[in-house]
Amino acid sequence: MLCAAAVLFALGSKPCLAAPGAELKISSGPDTEFSESQNIELYVPAGESPSPRIRPGSFEATWSGFINVDLRSDYLFAVACNGKFQLEINGKSALENTGGNETAGDN
């Protein structure tokens, strides 16, 4: 069960990774794990652990990274989650879910 998640992206700002992609930070109490990915996805069945180093139960997953966009256009960001979710682009909230089972999308 995903209890809290935040996705932070910066378009055209200083990247935190060497290439487009995301760094995932999973935290639960004092336990924290980091990993890198080209995709932002996480599926954790109820009662399971999000990672071998994190205990089952409530946790927070935070992705930080950047995407490289060559052309101006409309882009669709979507999420399906159980818990809280917030997508920030250039420091502004672009998509938010405050709890429960939700599917959301926005340009």
Side-chain angles (χ1 to χ4, degrees):
M1 172 168 43
L2 185 62
C3 293
V7 178
L8 307 172
F9 274 106
L11 298 172
S13 68
K14 185 177 179 181
C16 61
L17 299 173
E23 178 182 72
L24 171 60
K25 174 184 173 185
I26 299 176
S27 302
S28 178
D31 302 324
T32 300
E33 179 178 282
F34 293 90
S35 62
E36 290 185 15
S37 176
Q38 293 297 313
N39 298 307
I40 296 178
E41 57 189 8
L42 181 64
Y43 173 71
V44 182
E48 298 288 324
S49 170
S51 163
R53 295 182 188 101
I54 304 292
R55 288 177 249 145
S58 298
F59 67 93
E60 180 175 322
T62 303
W63 286 267
S64 300
F66 75 102
I67 55 177
N68 191 8
V69 179
D70 293 330
L71 301 172
R72 288 186 171 257
S73 187
D74 291 329
Y75 295 91
L76 176 66
F77 295 91
V79 63
C81 71
N82 178 10
K84 296 178 182 178
F85 175 86
Q86 182 179 13
L87 170 67
E88 290 182 2
I89 299 176
N90 289 336
K92 296 180 183 177
S93 182
L95 186 61
E96 189 171 0
N97 174 31
T98 57
N101 294 328
E102 299 288 332
T103 300
D106 199 2
N107 290 352

